[in-house]
Amino acid sequence: MTKPKVYITRLIPEAALEIIAGACDYRIWPEEGTPVPRDILLQEIPTVAGVFTLLTEKVDEELLRAAPRVKIVANMAVGYDNVDLAAASRHGVMVTNTPGVLTETTADLTFALLLATARRLLEANQYLRQGRWKTWYPMLLTGQDVYGATLGIIGLGRIGEAVARRARGFAMRVLYYNRHRREDLERELGATYRPLDDLLREADFVSIHAPLAPETRHLIGERELALMKPTAVLINTSRGPLVDEQALYLALVQKRIWAAGLDVFEAEPVSLENPLLRLENVVALPHIGSASVATRVKMATTAAINLVAGVTGQRPPHLVNPQGWKG
Ligand code: GLV
């Protein structure tokens, strides 16, 4: 029996390749450090039944039109804003993501960023390496306390919840804003619901964990930043476009907020011309929220399992558009 053909848009961990090779004939973009060029992807997909994608690939109407046999787009990420979900559903294409496996790793990175930003770790490291450490003095590289501070979580889904659990270890007061109330977590973790504006006014740390959608684009803009305390820190490990970067830059330069920790940017990879990178009170990371060895392997194998299910007539475990499933 001939195996279904699939295309993989990047070199992926061996364990995931093995899962795919067991059930499919695959072709792959063999590079790790460069995304597949769009024209190559457009050439590769007309004959395949499934495609394994990363968040660097834009899966839009044009691509779907060029892929009449594709049944599934298996995205190796929990977020799928790179995929036009409505267009996929219109084309009868299933879309899957990799939820759950990266929750704790991303929450760890969120806390690492929060601590690094609050306590100016990168600045301190530079200060030492540049030979500027001549003596100890009372207000040298002083930051903000994390222990006992108020954390405002925007988006109390899986990752937001995992961040709230970590915050308890730091005796933080946890406020949250979410589409719907999480009374289970209010009881269990003592998290308190606040309308967004109130959360922004009260929090010492604001951490964003909401998905990117048209209604969340620039959720944090000039007006919202103006509500925050001058000592407050903004952390974003979700998607860059949730924050209006120009407004954030101005708020940071004018010291209307204290600092920002960013793992994601409006345009990625971030340009070195981005003025945020010139600011000492910004800690910037290259979208590494889920980047532990174990988690990235789990994400790849999860996406591989989804892909194989989709091209072999089974319902993939992590289908985000049930409309795409033809049963
Ligand atoms: C990474 O950003 C993901 O969505 O998994």
Side-chain angles (χ1 to χ4, degrees):
M1 211 179 77
T2 59
K3 290 177 173 175
K5 287 191 187 141
V6 299
Y7 189 68
I8 307 169
T9 62
R10 196 75 67 99
L11 205 56
I12 57 171
E14 198 53 43
L17 267 185
E18 279 170 20
I19 292 170
I20 296 171
C24 310
D25 276 337
Y26 70 84
R27 285 174 58 83
I28 184 167
W29 175 248
E31 289 181 29
E32 205 173 18
T34 6
V36 58
R38 179 81 173 180
D39 55 327
I40 304 233
L41 182 57
L42 285 165
Q43 273 167 36
E44 290 283 356
I45 53 161
T47 56
V48 300
V51 55
F52 182 116
T53 53
L54 309 187
L55 49 80
T56 46
E57 278 78 58
K58 206 167 163 52
V59 180
D60 54 9
E61 179 65 35
E62 180 196 35
L63 195 81
L64 291 159
R65 240 188 238 159
R69 297 175 190 206
V70 162
K71 296 186 187 138
I72 178 163
V73 172
N75 209 38
M76 185 187 143
V78 66
Y80 44 87
D81 47 280
N82 58 311
V83 180
D84 182 339
L85 206 58
S89 299
R90 264 198 318 276
H91 284 267
V93 171
M94 293 179 276
V95 178
T96 58
N97 67 342
T98 62
V101 294
L102 48 70
T103 302
E104 302 299 340
T105 307
T106 307
D108 281 352
L109 193 276
T110 304
F111 244 87
L113 196 49
L114 190 152
L115 286 162
T117 309
R119 297 297 302 274
R120 305 171 61 182
L121 296 193
L122 274 62
E123 261 183 271
N125 183 261
Q126 281 295 96
Y127 179 87
L128 180 153
R129 285 169 187 261
Q130 289 165 355
R132 292 159 61 202
W133 184 22
K134 304 294 183 208
T135 183
W136 187 96
Y137 62 92
M139 297 310 280
L140 172 64
L141 287 163
T142 44
Q144 302 294 337
D145 275 320
V146 174
Y147 184 86
T150 297
L151 172 65
I153 296 179
I154 298 178
L156 199 60
R158 291 185 195 84
I159 298 171
E161 175 183 336
V163 170
R165 288 184 190 282
R166 280 159 180 73
R168 291 224 302 181
F170 285 82
M172 296 178 98
R173 185 164 76 108
V174 176
L175 309 177
Y176 77 97
Y177 168 71
N178 198 44
R179 268 173 307 180
H180 50 269
R181 289 283 288 266
R182 293 290 312 269
E183 277 160 21
D184 53 336
L185 297 180
E186 291 181 18
R187 274 191 301 276
E188 195 194 336
L189 301 179
T192 307
Y193 177 83
R194 285 281 189 277
L196 181 59
D197 287 4
D198 293 348
L199 178 148
L200 293 167
R201 278 189 204 101
E202 288 179 52
D204 299 307
F205 296 88
V206 173
S207 191
I208 307 175
H209 301 285
L212 176 60
E215 60 282 9
T216 59
R217 184 172 293 272
H218 287 189
L219 183 68
I220 302 299
E222 189 186 345
R223 192 191 74 82
E224 290 72 25
L225 290 160
L227 297 173
M228 290 173 65
K229 299 181 187 178
T231 49
V233 173
L234 180 72
I235 303 294
N236 190 7
T237 56
S238 60
R239 286 292 184 267
L242 272 89
V243 177
D244 176 345
E245 275 178 10
Q246 231 179 327
L248 176 62
Y249 173 75
L250 288 177
L252 287 163
V253 166
Q254 296 165 1
K255 306 268 189 248
R256 285 188 276 113
I257 70 168
W258 197 72
L262 306 171
D263 185 42
V264 288
F265 294 86
E266 287 205 61
E268 294 181 9
V270 70
S271 155
L272 293 183
E273 306 296 311
N274 186 324
L276 285 169
L277 301 187
R278 295 202 290 269
L279 302 181
E280 278 199 325
N281 53 350
V282 168
V283 176
L285 302 177
H287 203 145
I288 56 164
S290 60
S292 74
V293 176
T295 292
R296 284 289 167 84
V297 171
K298 275 191 224 149
M299 288 167 69
T301 54
T302 303
I305 290 167
N306 283 323
L307 179 71
V308 168
V311 296
T312 56
Q314 298 153 59
R315 188 184 165 105
H318 305 106
L319 191 57
V320 293
N321 62 338
Q323 316 86 299
W325 168 245
K326 300 202 185 70

